[in-house]
Amino acid sequence: MTLREKLSGAIAPLFTPFTDEGEVDHDSLRRMVRWQLANGSIGISIGGSTGEPSSQTIEERAAAIRTIREELAGSDAAFVPGTGSAKLNETLELTAVAQEVGVDAALIITPYYARPTQEALYQWYATVAREFPDLPLIAYNVPSRTAVELAPETFARLYRDFDNIVGIKETTKDFEHFSRTMHLAGPDLLMWSGIELLCLPLIPLGGIGFISALSNIAPAAVAETYAAAVAGDWERARELHYGVHPLVDLLFVETNPAPAKWLMAERGLISSGHVRPPLIGLTDQGIARVEALVAEAGQYLTEINI
């Protein structure tokens, strides 16, 4: 199986479950992985924005990667953890853990807060690529979180220069950015959308799947949307795309992942809806809004069958 084949489909970017006391809840994490695979997700990611990585130590993030790798043992599911940080040494350390346990690719976020230039971003990714020449790397462009955008020209340069830089997760609402990146890099590029409502439109442009936070509450609907699109059943794909709009709104009632965590704790998949500072748990107003959105589109939520 080629890497494109392995990574094509709905990959779930998991939130990191915590106990009420704020510790990483590995039992809930294992249950989440089993639930995802039972409901259509072809792969698992953790450590992206939804996973609250900046509130965790490198040791905690490494332990979560190892737990998921153990839970995926014997399965054909893809594993694409986020291993990036604002610090280069931490990025290299966590990427080394991912390589050690045997992941399919590592997702590397642009370094946040510092606002590096495009040349600095090139050097950053080039350093990681040289350090791990045998590990497929996926750039993660999310300017709303990092305050810096990986320009299409910069990414295309990296893609040309390093064989192990194989793809990009584009999390920008500027859909022209997707098209320009794809055009400059070429049709072999592996590209996913991290914007929920741009996942489906990316497929006709050459995207290979979804990495959607919506999978945390509705993995079956996300997986079916992808399957319908690649089968050419655009009527069903659009029906699902528009049907889940209220659930997408639900994810961002307050800062992601607080709404999804609250909902999945209420539904019994995880033990607690706890989020770590600087985030706070869902407010009473947020709870009321989430409940209203569930009432509007609850049929698209996936049953808790684990």
Side-chain angles (χ1 to χ4, degrees):
M1 181 183 292
T2 66
L3 187 65
R4 173 179 287 270
E5 291 169 338
K6 185 73 178 285
L7 300 183
S8 293
I11 297 174
L14 301 184
F15 56 67
T16 304
F18 301 125
T19 65
D20 282 333
E21 293 73 35
E23 299 300 317
V24 178
D25 183 351
H26 289 265
D27 289 338
S28 288
L29 183 56
R30 290 179 182 275
R31 189 158 55 250
M32 289 168 62
V33 171
R34 294 195 298 271
W35 183 65
Q36 289 292 335
L37 299 188
N39 287 287
S41 296
I42 60 94
I44 301 295
S45 183
I46 197 168
S49 304
T50 298
E52 297 175 75
S54 61
S55 73
Q56 298 174 59
T57 67
I58 294 300
E59 291 75 19
E60 286 175 320
R61 294 178 65 186
I65 288 173
R66 291 189 174 101
T67 290
I68 293 173
R69 178 72 277 169
E70 291 169 4
E71 194 61 38
L72 292 176
S75 116
D76 292 330
F79 188 22
V80 187
T83 59
S85 166
K87 297 179 180 179
L88 182 59
N89 65 319
E90 291 182 350
T91 297
L92 297 176
E93 181 182 348
L94 198 55
T95 304
V97 170
Q99 183 176 56
E100 173 195 334
V101 303
V103 303
D104 295 287
L107 183 67
I108 311 291
I109 195 170
T110 51
Y112 37 88
Y113 187 76
R115 300 184 69 185
T117 65
Q118 292 301 306
E119 180 60 26
L121 287 173
Y122 177 89
Q123 295 298 336
W124 174 279
Y125 280 104
T127 299
V128 180
R130 292 188 185 104
E131 186 75 16
F132 303 98
D134 299 322
L135 179 65
L137 301 176
I138 298 167
Y140 180 17
N141 182 45
V142 54
S144 67
R145 294 274 191 170
T146 64
V148 64
E149 181 166 80
L150 184 61
E153 295 79 6
T154 304
F155 175 77
R157 180 183 167 202
L158 287 161
Y159 184 72
R160 288 192 301 268
D161 290 351
F162 297 96
D163 290 341
N164 58 327
I165 295 181
V166 298
I168 187 167
K169 178 184 176 183
E170 287 281 16
T171 306
T172 170
K173 292 184 178 181
D174 178 5
F175 202 51
E176 184 176 317
H177 191 282
F178 289 70
S179 186
R180 291 191 180 282
T181 301
M182 185 73 76
H183 174 68
L184 290 172
D188 291 335
L189 174 65
L190 309 182
M191 181 184 284
W192 300 262
S193 170
I195 299 291
E196 279 63 39
L197 297 183
L198 294 182
C199 284
L200 180 61
L202 180 59
I203 297 300
L205 293 185
I208 70 162
F210 301 168
I211 304 180
S212 170
L214 185 61
S215 291
N216 281 289
I217 64 174
V222 174
E224 187 184 351
T225 304
Y226 171 80
V230 296
D233 186 354
W234 290 101
E235 182 177 356
R236 177 57 176 163
R238 286 191 296 269
E239 177 185 353
L240 288 161
H241 172 80
Y242 291 117
V244 300
H245 264 233
L247 298 185
V248 174
D249 292 343
L250 181 160
L251 297 175
F252 304 102
V253 161
E254 290 173 6
T255 306
N256 172 49
K261 280 189 162 184
W262 178 86
L263 179 62
M264 299 317 288
E266 287 292 303
R267 301 186 73 220
L269 181 65
I270 60 176
S271 67
S272 170
H274 185 89
V275 292
R276 283 185 176 176
L279 301 184
I280 61 170
L282 207 56
T283 64
D284 290 344
Q285 183 179 6
I287 290 171
R289 181 63 179 148
V290 165
E291 290 175 336
L293 290 166
V294 167
E296 187 176 346
Q299 68 269 31
Y300 295 102
L301 291 173
T302 302
E303 178 185 356
I304 306 303
N305 50 10
I306 294 295

